[in-house]
Every structure is written in structure tokens, then in C-alpha cells.
Amino acid sequence: MTAQNQGLKIIALAGMYFITAWSISTVGLPDGFSLPIYLAAGVALGGVICCGARLWPGVFLGALAFNAWFMNYVAPSVDVPVFTMMLTSSGMALAAVTQALVGAFLFNRFVNSSTPLNRIKDTLIFIFLVAGVGCIVSALMSMTILNWGGHLPSEKLVQEGVTWWLGDVMGVLLVAPLFFVFRQPLSFRWTPARRIEVSILLLLFYITSQMVFGDWLQYSHYPLVYLLAPCLVWAAYRFGHPGTVIAILMVSSTAVWGTMAGRGPFTLGPLDESLALLQSYLLVLTIMTLILSAAATEAESAYTQSVRFGRVLDESSNEIYLFDAKTLKFVQVNRGAQENLGYTLDELQSLTPVDLKPDLSLKDFETLLKPLRYGTGDLVTFQTRHQRKDGTFYPIETRIQLSQTEVFPVFVGIVQDITEKKKTEEELAGHRHHLEELVMQRTADLESTHLQLLHAEKLSATGKMAASMAHEFNNPIFGIRNVLEKILRRVPMEENDTRFVRLAIQECDRVAMLIRKVLDFHSPSTDEKEWIDIHESIDDMILLIHERFGMRGIHLVKEYAADMPSIQAVPDQFMQVILNILQNAEEAIPEGGGRVTITTSTKNGNAQIQIRDTGAGISTQIMKNIFDPFFTTKPGVKGTGLGLSVTYGIIKKHRGEILVDSLPGRGTTFTILLPIKKANPAALPG
Ligand code: ADP
Ligand code: MG
């Protein structure tokens, strides 16, 4: 607020103070100083409450001006010096300021609401504390000053003081509320119906006030004041606090106007007495009407609040039930519950919660409610099911409380449909279970992989040892063979003995060759492609395993193509492929023996090698896994699960293909296709 603004407000308040004080004193005045209705007191208090205590100079100036004018022109005392009179006027102006500040303090301390007269409690405080007690200040101070200044004899002090006090109270009650009206936001809507209503009210007011205080009736002193009551009640009920304040003001001004003119029921004796009578009448009327208006507003706001609250409850996503604590019958059920259950409110009102809960007997339910009934608990929570009218169920979570605030005690149940929650919980549990299974599976896989790795390490170590042992055997075998040849050449023997020695030499050759093959196979791969003869390489591998085949009663059939071209391949890697497949075939054939057939042919520019066994076959479930590293169906550590994965890697590196065809229980065929490059015959080895 700027200083200029503040100054303007002070001047405006001073002006308003002076005009209200002056106008009432011009209407007609009793003897003495006290006015029966001193509206300026209301202006002072209203101004200070609404615009702040800093406006006090406005009150002071207005009061000073009025007091000076009053003492000079209305009640001049000839024998009082001007200085004393000015001192008295200032003192009384100070009294007005003090009263306004005390009133504002009381108001802010005890009411302090933006809509002060809409509540009964605030209204009572305003009437009896702010107006009633607050207005004692000015009366006390002013009477003292007037008496001291020699204006007022001591014997008239009490009577004048009471009139002064009541006049200020009236002024405060009539005018200060007007300030509240202008301060609070106007929630009033001017609909056409409202305009008509206000017009009728004004007309009624005009007629009744003319009948009571006007000169319509021949005898103008009939005790007809009660005729004004309907207008006030109407205003209080229909137009809230603003309407009430304006109506009271209108009634008061008419009453003062009529009484001054010597009309109306209060004109019984001298004007003094009449005005005092009127004052008490208006005081009572004002208090009653203000309280009535507050009651009406409060009741209406309570009603709107309960309606609003009811609507919110109705729209709640929870189901809300009120049921009689004695009979358990439903009293009130919100819309959400009615819709979910499929019952109407009427139907529900003949049911109890037990009728909706198929899993709970009346006894169980009563046991649950016990803590509430005996006051050992405030809230009971449990989960169960509700049954709809159509017989279907839904899971619920319910919270029940006991409410004693109703006319009769009721239980309030707030029920939540937890179908979705349950579903999510179940899904979560499912996921968790699945995850746990996956983790367990992976752990088991890892454990077996670890075992197989250990085994593979062992196999490769024994392979290396076998190779070095073969190397060690090589020299002794050649030594033995030399000795045998010498014996054959130098020692004359019988025919039979010669045959045995020749056989021994042949066996030595066979062992030597085996040693060479083992050494070849186990020497590190050169990774270099050479032209190889497919049949020869296969035969080399057969050499390594044919002993085992014989022992296990496995018959080996070779169906070699007559003119198989050479192919380019890394020799030891190609042989490893053949060996792996032959080994698997052997391991797949059961105890009683079987047959392994090796067929070679050419097909679409590829060399095709088929190895067919009569073993157990491969089931379709594991077919997709057999080329995975470490995948094995062989128990314990018999298999490493590496054979086929290594085989696959080698074939892919040679730009070939490997196919499996199997009939569980009948046997398996592995087909290898390797590209035949047009060989340069000159480059062919040997
Ligand atoms: P391993 O022989 O160490 O088990 P492989 O990679 O050589 O590992 O083979 C993987 C799996 O493929 C074997 O455990 C077996 O179940 C299946 N399999 C391979 N060859 C045959 C076959 N000829 N007959 C039946 N099953 C076979
Ligand atoms: Mg194998």
C-alpha cells in the first residue's frame, strides 16, 4: 500500500465517520450527549478491522471534527472555555480510537475468520465480546472526560453512560457487518428468480414498515412491531449474512425515522424515552436476526457439505457400507458397492454383511467384530470373498469401524475389491517360481558342464599320454621285428615255425602302423588343407576302432563309391569327424550288437559320406540340442558332449554341411557333405 493510498483511506474513513455521526444527530436529538444509535462507532471498528489498525488517524480526525461541531452547535456550553472544549473533544476522539482498536483486537483474536458472521459461534463472539464488551471503552472514557470538563453532572453519568454504550453497540452491530459484506467475495448470483424474490421482499418490507412506523393507519401507535419479523426472517434465510445486514439496517432506519416523527409503537412519552425503548427493541431484534442468519448459513453449509461428502462417497472406488450395530442390517450402501454386487439399496437394506460373505458364518463375523464392540480395538481388517447377486464371487479386503456419532451405533465397512491385486500377486508368484526354476536349472547345467570340462581335460591328458606311449613303443617294436627277420633268414626251421615267425612279423607291422596312426592323429593340427583320399582317411580311423567294434559284436559295412574324387581338407580334422561319428554310433548300439554302414557317394558337386547305425536313435526333443557344446545324454562322465559340437565346427570351416536323420529305437544316419573343388590333377599328392 503506498503512502498516498494510505492517506486517501484515512481521509475517506474520517469523512465516513463524520457523515454517519452527523446524519444521525441531525435527525433529531435528545437532551444530553448520548445518541441512541451511534453508527460512527461501527464505521470506526469496521474500517480498522478491514483495512488495518494503521487507519486509526481517520477515526481520530472524524471523531474530533464531529465532537467539535457537536459541542459548538448542538450542545454549546457557554461557560466552558474554548481550550477546555478542544481538549474534551480530542479526549473523546481518542476514546473512539481506543475503542476501535480494542474491538479490532478482540475480533482478530477470537473470531479471525474471512466470513465472520456465517457461524453461530463467531456471531456470538462478535455480538457479546467485540460489540458488547468492546464498546464499554468509549463510554467509560468519554463519560469521565465529559464529567471532568464540566459538561456532565455526576448524577447523570450512569444513565448517559448506558445510553452511550448501547448506542455504540447498536452502531457496531448495524454498520461493522456491512464492512464484512464488502470484504468477502460475493458468492451471490443474480438470477431472474432472485430479482423477483428481492422485489417482493422489498415490497413486503415497504408495506409492513409503513404500517408500523408510517402514517397509513389512523392510529399510529398500534404495537405492530412484530410485523417486521417476517421480512427479517426471510432475508436471513434466503440472502445470508449480506441480505440480513442490509435488512436490519433498513428496519432500523425506518424505525428511527418513524419514532423521531412521533409515530410507531415506541412513541409513548418524551422522545428520549421513545428512543431508548426503540434502542432496546432494535438491539434485541438485531442480535436475534444475526444469530438466525448465522444458524441458517451454518445449517445450509453443513447440508451442502454432507451432500458433497455423500457424492464423494458414492463415487468412491471403494465399497462403503453402514450397517446397524444391533441387527447388522445394512443402513446405507454406496453406489460403487451396489453396482459391483448387483443389488439395489432396497434389496441390500434387508440383508446383513454375513449374507454377502459365503465364507463367514454369523458366529465368525461376530467374533471378528468383538474388539470393536468391547472397545479393545478401533479397526478390524480381514480378507474374504463377496458373493454377487448373480452368484459370482470376488475377493475383498475389508476394514470395519464402529461409529457412535449416528443416532444409533453403526458399523462402517470399507471394502476393497482385490481381484486385480490378487491376480497380480499370483502372476508375481508365478514369475518368481519360474525364475527360481530357471536359476536352479542353470545352476545344475553349470555344475554338469564343470564336471564335463574336468572330464574333457582328463581325456585330452590321457590322449597325450597315449601318444607319448605309442612313441615309446615304436623303437622296441622295430627292434623285435628286426630280430624276427634275422631269425627267419638265418635259422633253418620247420615249415610251421616259419609261418609263426612270419605271423609275428605281420603283427609287428600292424602295431607299428597303429602307432603311426595314433601319433599322426594326436600331433597338433596343422590347420592346413591338403588333397585327401576320403576312403583312405576313413579306413585309417576304422583301424583305430575296429577292435572295439569286434568286441561289441558290431558289424561294419563299407559301401564305398567306385570313383570317389579327392577333396581338400585338413587331414586330422576330417579324420576326427569320422572318428567322432563312429564312436557315437558305437555308443548308441545296445549290448546285443548291431550294424554300422558307411556309404560314400557324390551328390550335386559334393562328396557325401553317410554313417548309419542301428542304435537307439535320437528323440525329437533333444534333436535341436545335440550339436550344442557339452550337451550329452550319456550318464555320469561317460560323454563330454563335445564330439558333435567339434564336428559341426570342422564341417562348417570346410564349407560343408552335416545332417541328422533319426528314428528313435531304429537308428541314426549322419550325412556329411563336403564340396568337391575341381582338382588340378597335377597337384594331387602321390
Ligand atoms: P557325447 O558323445 O559325449 O555325449 P556328442 O556331442 O558326441 O557328445 O553327442 C551328443 C549327444 O547326441 C549324445 O549324448 C547322444 O545323446 C546324441 N547322439 C549323437 N550321436 C548319436 C547316435 N548315433 N545315436 C543316438 N544318439 C546320438
Ligand atoms: Mg560323442
Side-chain angles (χ1 to χ4, degrees):
M1 198 197 296
T2 62
Q4 196 188 2
N5 214 334
Q6 175 95 355
L8 281 178
K9 280 194 174 174
I10 289 176
I11 292 169
L13 187 61
M16 266 164 77
Y17 189 100
F18 183 81
I19 289 168
T20 37
W22 169 79
S23 61
I24 204 88
S25 60
T26 51
V27 175
L29 271 175
D31 317 337
F33 293 90
S34 307
L35 299 168
I37 300 177
Y38 191 58
L39 296 179
V43 171
L45 181 66
V48 171
I49 287 178
C50 288
C51 304
R54 279 183 298 178
L55 288 198
W56 71 265
V59 178
F60 184 78
L61 289 177
L64 184 65
F66 172 70
N67 290 340
W69 172 80
F70 187 86
M71 292 186 134
N72 270 310
Y73 300 103
V74 183
S77 310
V78 202
D79 49 345
V80 178
V82 175
F83 175 71
T84 318
M85 199 191 69
M86 279 316 288
L87 215 59
T88 315
S89 299
S90 309
M92 292 199 314
L94 212 60
V97 169
T98 315
Q99 171 164 297
L101 292 176
V102 168
F105 167 77
L106 291 174
F107 183 86
N108 290 333
R109 173 77 180 72
F110 295 104
V111 180
N112 204 12
S113 145
S114 63
T115 51
L117 300 186
N118 284 352
R119 285 171 49 195
I120 297 182
K121 185 176 151 239
D122 291 344
T123 306
L124 291 176
I125 293 175
F126 173 71
I127 293 171
F128 293 105
L129 188 69
V130 179
V133 177
C135 288
I136 297 175
V137 175
S138 170
L140 265 182
M141 285 173 75
S142 300
M143 288 305 112
T144 315
I145 292 167
L146 282 172
N147 180 250
W148 167 80
H151 299 281
L152 198 65
S154 299
E155 65 269 18
K156 285 186 102 180
L157 267 184
V158 177
Q159 192 216 330
E160 279 277 327
V162 171
T163 314
W164 185 290
W165 170 60
L166 288 178
D168 277 11
V169 171
M170 271 311 288
V172 166
L173 291 186
L174 288 178
V175 178
L178 275 178
F179 281 81
F180 308 149
V181 173
F182 291 117
R183 194 171 65 153
Q184 74 189 30
L186 207 65
S187 58
F188 190 79
R189 287 262 216 72
W190 277 111
T191 57
R194 280 284 178 152
R195 282 173 215 272
I196 295 173
E197 190 177 345
V198 169
S199 310
I200 298 174
L201 180 57
L202 283 175
L203 186 70
L204 183 70
F205 173 74
Y206 179 73
I207 295 169
T208 45
S209 57
Q210 284 299 330
M211 281 170 72
V212 182
F213 293 106
D215 48 8
W216 282 11
L217 302 180
Q218 274 184 354
Y219 176 68
S220 60
H221 304 304
Y222 290 124
L224 292 177
V225 276
Y226 58 83
L227 281 183
L228 288 166
C231 284
L232 288 173
V233 174
W234 188 345
Y237 266 110
R238 296 283 300 156
F239 298 96
H241 151 230
T244 313
V245 170
I246 293 166
I248 293 174
L249 209 64
M250 277 163 60
V251 169
S252 310
S253 4
T254 325
V256 172
W257 158 74
T259 310
M260 292 280 195
R263 291 188 301 267
F266 299 103
T267 312
L268 298 171
L271 186 59
D272 256 16
E273 268 180 48
S274 309
L275 283 178
L277 263 179
L278 177 67
Q279 187 187 34
S280 52
Y281 166 71
L282 286 180
L283 198 64
V284 172
L285 196 69
T286 305
I287 292 172
M288 269 171 50
T289 318
L290 282 178
I291 293 176
L292 188 69
S293 155
T297 317
E298 207 170 278
E300 189 175 314
S301 86
Y303 174 73
T304 8
Q305 216 167 33
S306 77
V307 166
R308 195 182 303 149
F309 196 55
R311 216 178 293 136
V312 169
L313 288 190
D314 244 5
E315 277 161 19
S316 163
S317 62
N318 285 323
E319 300 173 14
I320 299 165
Y321 301 84
L322 256 68
F323 53 98
D324 190 327
K326 215 191 255 161
T327 64
L328 295 186
K329 286 245 166 72
F330 288 119
V331 180
Q332 191 68 40
V333 177
N334 81 335
R335 210 178 52 212
Q338 295 169 32
E339 278 170 6
N340 199 4
L341 288 168
Y343 286 112
T344 63
L345 183 59
D346 268 358
E347 289 170 326
L348 281 168
Q349 276 168 345
S350 61
L351 298 177
T352 70
V354 182
D355 298 322
L356 302 178
K357 298 176 175 56
D359 302 335
L360 279 185
S361 68
L362 180 61
K363 220 175 120 214
D364 297 337
F365 192 58
E366 277 297 349
T367 318
L368 283 169
L369 293 180
K370 237 179 206 157
L372 299 179
R373 287 201 192 278
Y374 295 105
T376 52
D378 292 337
L379 179 70
V380 166
T381 315
F382 57 91
Q383 290 194 354
T384 179
R385 290 186 306 162
H386 261 183
Q387 186 168 25
R388 296 192 180 88
K389 194 182 180 184
D390 63 12
T392 55
F393 299 99
Y394 59 96
I396 57 153
E397 192 173 85
T398 176
R399 305 153 63 83
I400 301 182
Q401 279 176 295
L402 181 64
S403 168
Q404 301 275 16
T405 51
E406 296 290 322
V407 183
F408 50 91
V410 292
F411 285 112
V412 182
I414 298 186
V415 169
Q416 202 185 359
D417 183 341
I418 51 169
T419 311
E420 286 302 314
K421 189 173 150 194
K422 271 262 151 74
K423 221 168 80 190
T424 323
E425 267 175 17
E426 271 162 22
E427 270 170 19
L428 262 178
H431 284 311
R432 202 175 49 223
H433 187 67
H434 181 64
L435 260 179
E436 275 168 7
E437 269 184 351
L438 264 182
V439 169
M440 269 155 62
Q441 170 82 38
R442 287 279 180 276
T443 315
D445 283 357
L446 271 176
E447 271 170 7
S448 84
T449 304
H450 177 67
L451 269 183
Q452 279 160 356
L453 258 178
L454 281 180
H455 184 58
E457 268 303 300
K458 209 152 89 190
L459 277 189
S460 110
T462 49
K464 276 183 211 149
M465 206 175 71
S468 72
M469 273 169 71
H471 184 77
E472 291 296 319
F473 282 139
N474 215 15
N475 289 344
I477 288 289
F478 274 104
I480 293 168
R481 193 182 186 278
N482 276 344
V483 171
L484 286 175
E485 281 214 323
K486 275 184 188 145
I487 290 174
L488 197 62
R489 262 189 272 124
R490 292 187 195 166
V491 183
M493 278 181 291
E494 276 183 27
E495 183 66 8
N496 241 0
D497 295 338
T498 313
R499 208 163 53 88
F500 280 135
V501 176
R502 281 191 202 287
L503 251 174
I505 291 174
Q506 265 176 29
E507 283 302 294
C508 278
D509 283 345
R510 207 174 65 83
V511 170
M513 195 172 63
L514 247 177
I515 287 172
R516 210 182 65 235
K517 297 284 176 202
V518 168
L519 283 176
D520 276 359
F521 189 62
H522 278 281
S523 61
S525 179
T526 56
D527 221 12
E528 267 168 33
K529 282 184 186 165
E530 288 169 25
W531 288 101
I532 58 164
D533 182 327
I534 292 176
H535 293 162
E536 212 181 281
S537 300
I538 297 175
D539 284 344
D540 281 354
M541 289 301 108
I542 290 175
L543 207 64
L544 290 181
I545 58 156
H546 113 273
E547 194 68 32
R548 296 250 307 277
F549 272 39
M551 267 160 49
R552 295 209 41 213
I554 300 171
H555 186 52
L556 187 75
V557 183
K558 293 199 263 184
E559 292 174 353
Y560 288 174
D563 50 350
M564 202 58 182
S566 299
I567 58 162
Q568 267 204 313
V570 183
D572 62 314
Q573 292 183 357
F574 175 75
M575 287 190 284
Q576 189 175 355
V577 166
I578 302 296
L579 187 64
N580 284 349
I581 296 175
L582 286 176
Q583 246 169 16
N584 279 347
E586 184 224 318
E587 281 160 359
I589 288 172
E591 274 312 303
R595 192 174 59 239
V596 174
T597 312
I598 307 176
T599 313
T600 60
S601 57
T602 54
K603 199 178 172 189
N604 304 334
N606 283 316
Q608 178 176 280
I609 303 149
Q610 280 187 314
I611 299 175
R612 190 164 65 245
D613 65 62
T614 56
I618 304 171
S619 69
T620 41
Q621 294 103 286
I622 66 158
M623 188 59 107
K624 59 181 188 305
N625 297 112
I626 57 170
F627 292 104
D628 292 346
F630 300 115
F631 175 82
T632 180
T633 55
K634 288 160 197 174
V637 286
K638 209 176 147 202
T640 59
L642 287 171
L644 282 183
S645 96
V646 167
T647 299
Y648 186 83
I650 292 173
I651 298 292
K652 282 288 148 190
K653 222 168 77 186
H654 284 78
R655 301 184 189 288
E657 227 166 315
I658 179 162
L659 308 166
V660 206
D661 190 20
S662 183
L663 261 181
R666 301 283 293 277
T668 307
T669 307
F670 278 89
T671 304
I672 295 165
L673 292 163
L674 286 167
I676 307 167
K677 284 209 187 116
K678 273 286 160 271
N680 176 1
L684 272 178

